[in-house]
Amino acid sequence: ANFPEELLALLKTVEPDYGDDWAFLGTYAFAHHETGYFDESLRFAQRSLEIRPDNAIASHSVAHVFFETGDAVGGTDFLSDWLKGYDERAPYRVHLSWHHALFELATGHYERATALYENDIRPSVVARNLGTLADSASLMWRMKIYGEGEPSTSWAEVREIAMPAAEKPGPPFRDAHAALVFAAAGYTDEMGRMLDGLKAKSDGGDPLVREVTLPLIKGIDAFASGAYDDAVELLEPAFANLPRIGGSHAQREVFEDTLLEAYIRAGRFDGATELLNTRLKRRTSPRDMFWLGRTQAGLDAPSEAVDSLNEAESLWASADDPESRELSGLKQLARELAP
């Protein structure tokens, strides 16, 4: 669970040997933002880009710093400009486009996020590989739970990449994202086979599967079935150990968002409040303020809820789709709570 700290400690031991190597600096920047050292991360990434302006390793870390500090507008501006000169065939193209889409979602630009998915992330357009599975599944799942609905394209092409997880358990990061596909699209047979395989591994003594992967995926399945209390009971214990599945904080946040939405839909507002307060101390987020408003409304604190909803609407002032289901829901709730 503490692998980000272990990674940073490891890289510190070899820093004197690498010096101004651009690839090392980009990797070093990654280890810093994953452990909360955002200024240091940006400094290392910018130095890497000074040495080699076209390197995606450092640009990836810059995108993460914008994400972690809640500057979605800055992240959009940076990636929109940087990606113009980046080869569409390059390995990081899909993933950086995913980061770009997350920034667009954060600012309420659903149409732009959908266009990025269709043109730069979608498996049938770009690449059918493990990285595309995580980027496609997590983006579409986010849109689904935010209330906007996923892009109109079929889940079937993402299912094709996820299918190995139904046949045999493997890397937990892959399996968790395959679960998003199976749960969202109603592929119950595939989900059942994956859960059977994971249970067998858990019963066989695999601690990672028992403590993290199996409850996480069962929680995703429960959420998609509308069993939100069950989802909370399953996701909560896995949440503390979530870094053990791998990936970055930005990638794992989709599971955190799922737990938050499960808290609210289950009426378990104390859990939602605690998690939201932790997130909002780290950065400002219009969506988190909307979630906080919904939570405060559930706790019968209408005045506080209206304040949170108004702040969320103000932060989403530049949204290009003011009639989206998410923003419409925000405005409707604010009207209902107004004195």
Side-chain angles (χ1 to χ4, degrees):
N2 68 332
F3 92 82
E5 291 80 12
E6 293 289 339
L7 173 62
L8 179 59
L10 173 65
L11 292 178
K12 282 183 176 180
T13 67
V14 297
E15 179 187 13
D17 300 305
Y18 282 93
D20 245 10
D21 180 272
W22 64 268
F24 174 79
L25 287 169
T27 303
Y28 204 31
F30 184 91
H32 277 80
H33 63 65
E34 288 300 289
T35 47
Y37 297 104
F38 305 129
D39 292 341
E40 293 86 345
S41 176
L42 193 58
R43 186 173 72 250
F44 290 126
Q46 288 174 335
R47 176 58 184 148
S48 177
L49 288 169
E50 287 172 5
I51 299 168
R52 183 163 179 173
D54 64 345
N55 93 77
I57 297 173
S59 293
H60 182 219
S61 284
V62 173
H64 271 273
V65 172
F66 280 119
F67 169 83
E68 295 290 354
T69 55
D71 187 358
V73 173
T76 295
D77 290 344
F78 171 75
L79 285 177
S80 296
D81 181 62
W82 192 86
L83 282 169
K84 288 176 183 175
Y86 191 55
D87 197 313
E88 293 183 358
R89 301 164 297 175
Y92 265 90
R93 179 75 193 203
V94 171
H95 189 60
L96 288 175
S97 297
W98 173 82
H99 275 282
H100 188 182
L102 287 193
F103 290 136
E104 298 290 8
L105 274 184
T107 49
H109 295 144
Y110 297 104
E111 293 178 3
R112 298 182 198 175
T114 300
L116 282 163
Y117 177 78
E118 297 286 359
N119 298 323
D120 297 286
I121 301 169
R122 183 181 174 188
S124 63
V125 173
V126 186
R128 298 175 185 268
N129 57 42
L130 189 58
T132 309
L133 167 63
D135 292 334
S136 297
S138 65
L139 179 63
M140 292 202 289
W141 179 270
R142 278 176 166 92
M143 296 179 75
K144 188 177 184 71
I145 68 170
Y146 295 164
E148 197 52 35
E150 63 271 22
S152 59
T153 51
S154 172
W155 282 92
E157 62 194 43
V158 190
R159 172 185 174 273
E160 180 181 327
I161 313 171
M163 276 303 295
E167 307 305 328
K168 182 180 179 181
F173 188 76
R174 180 205 70 176
D175 291 351
H177 284 86
L180 298 179
V181 178
F182 299 152
Y187 294 126
T188 55
D189 180 64
E190 290 84 346
M191 177 66 86
R193 282 187 283 146
M194 181 166 66
L195 286 171
D196 288 344
L198 289 168
K199 187 176 185 304
K201 286 201 73 172
S202 174
D203 293 345
D206 188 313
L208 179 58
V209 171
R210 182 181 65 252
E211 297 165 15
V212 187
T213 316
L214 184 56
L216 175 64
I217 291 174
K218 289 174 73 174
I220 291 167
D221 190 34
F223 183 95
S225 301
Y228 302 118
D229 271 309
D230 292 343
V232 169
E233 292 298 323
L234 290 160
L235 293 171
E236 266 189 338
F239 182 68
N241 289 300
L242 204 53
R244 291 171 64 188
I245 71 168
S248 67
H249 177 244
Q251 289 174 308
R252 295 189 300 272
E253 195 179 72
V254 66
F255 307 112
E256 189 176 303
D257 285 356
T258 304
L259 175 58
L260 251 175
E261 188 64 34
Y263 275 137
I264 296 173
R265 295 188 190 186
R268 299 172 70 154
F269 301 114
D270 289 339
T273 300
E274 183 177 353
L275 183 50
L276 284 165
N277 285 340
T278 299
R279 285 162 63 122
L280 287 165
K281 284 178 184 175
R282 192 171 73 239
R283 65 173 189 249
T284 302
S285 161
R287 186 163 288 111
D288 282 359
M289 291 306 302
F290 180 25
W291 269 323
L292 183 61
R294 292 169 62 199
T295 299
Q296 291 164 331
L299 290 169
D300 197 23
S303 178
E304 292 88 341
V306 168
D307 288 344
S308 297
L309 295 171
N310 287 341
E311 182 174 350
E313 186 173 4
S314 174
L315 291 168
W316 265 329
S318 68
D320 61 357
D321 185 7
E323 300 307 315
S324 69
R325 275 182 278 178
E326 189 169 31
L327 286 171
S328 297
L330 185 157
K331 293 174 182 177
Q332 176 63 33
L333 182 57
R335 284 193 297 269
E336 292 173 0
L337 295 172

